[in-house]
Amino acid sequence: MILLDQIKETGIVAVIRGASEENIIPIANALKNGGVTALEITLETPGALSAIEKLAVELGDEVIAGAGTVLDPETARAAIMAGARFVFSPTVNIETIKLTKRYGVLSIPGALTPTEILTAYENGADLIKVFPAHAFGPKYLKDIHGPLPQIPLMPTGGVNLENIGDFVRAGAVAAGIGSNLVNTKREINEEYLAQLEETARAYSQAFKEAKKQ
């Protein structure tokens, strides 16, 4: 549970699509310098497993490297063997949760309805990715926590600097941030990496400030 505590403490998970083995280390270092150390590498990207492995080998405990868009247990195992320390899924697949827990890795499935959220939690999920969060907004998290206060929720999808505070005050223990934080369609040069570091720092500060309220 130490990794889960680390994610809750830093509060931000960078959802990185389009990362390559060549650009993942500069991106990761910029994020880390800005205070974001949990990095989700989505597996629909060609070469994503190689990027995860490179992160695990070169940065080790400096960042928490995980896999995203994991749809089945076979893919989860491949990601874990590459070095993923958490497994994100867009949906609830119980066999994927079980496989992930069998290897002692954090399981973070995506769910939206109360039934999906509770089912994932009862089957061993460590943290529930409420996705897509923007569809219902921060009040939805607060409503879910009414009858299910014991389940840790992490909104993902449409979370930005303007609304992250509202999500945290509604009970989010962390937030997944995608292209609003990391946009791999941009040229990964020194200027972009400096901007990325500043954006990461802004998200980290916004999360911490909201937690105090």
Side-chain angles (χ1 to χ4, degrees):
M1 300 301 286
I2 294 175
L3 284 183
L4 181 59
D5 291 338
Q6 289 179 9
I7 290 175
K8 289 181 179 180
E9 181 179 354
T10 56
I12 305 296
V13 176
V15 181
I16 306 173
R17 288 187 165 83
S20 68
E21 191 175 354
E22 290 71 33
N23 66 26
I24 190 60
I25 298 300
I27 290 171
N29 279 323
L31 290 167
K32 180 189 67 172
N33 292 340
V36 175
T37 55
L39 315 182
E40 173 193 343
I41 312 302
T42 64
L43 294 191
E44 81 279 3
T45 303
L49 290 178
S50 296
I52 291 172
E53 186 172 6
K54 188 163 187 176
L55 270 179
V57 170
E58 295 196 17
L59 293 183
D61 291 335
E62 294 182 53
V63 300
I64 305 170
T69 321
V70 178
L71 303 180
D72 51 62
E74 294 80 11
T75 305
R77 186 180 185 280
I80 293 166
M81 293 302 101
R85 300 165 75 188
F86 60 80
V87 169
F88 271 81
S89 301
T91 58
V92 178
N93 182 303
I94 293 173
E95 293 306 313
T96 298
I97 296 172
K98 290 180 178 179
L99 183 284
T100 302
K101 299 308 298 175
R102 187 176 301 139
Y103 283 91
V105 172
L106 290 181
S107 174
I108 309 175
L112 187 61
T113 69
T115 299
E116 291 172 345
I117 290 169
L118 183 59
T119 297
Y121 189 69
E122 287 179 335
N123 281 279
D126 298 288
L127 178 61
I128 308 300
K129 179 177 77 171
V130 180
F131 174 81
H134 67 85
F136 292 93
K139 187 177 183 300
Y140 184 67
L141 258 68
K142 185 176 182 180
D143 291 343
I144 291 293
H145 264 152
L148 301 172
Q150 77 279 18
I151 301 180
L153 304 177
M154 188 188 83
T156 304
V159 182
N160 54 44
L161 281 172
E162 285 68 43
N163 61 25
I164 187 172
D166 294 331
F167 277 109
V168 174
R169 286 185 288 271
V173 300
I177 315 294
S179 59
N180 287 324
L181 177 55
V182 181
N183 183 359
T184 57
K185 293 180 181 179
R186 294 270 305 275
E187 182 182 354
I188 310 301
N189 54 26
E190 288 187 12
E191 180 183 4
Y192 172 74
L193 292 171
Q195 292 175 355
L196 178 58
E197 181 178 334
E198 287 304 310
T199 304
R201 186 171 290 111
Y203 273 103
S204 297
Q205 292 174 346
F207 176 83
K208 291 174 182 176
E209 287 299 319
K211 287 290 286 185
K212 295 176 183 177
Q213 299 173 9

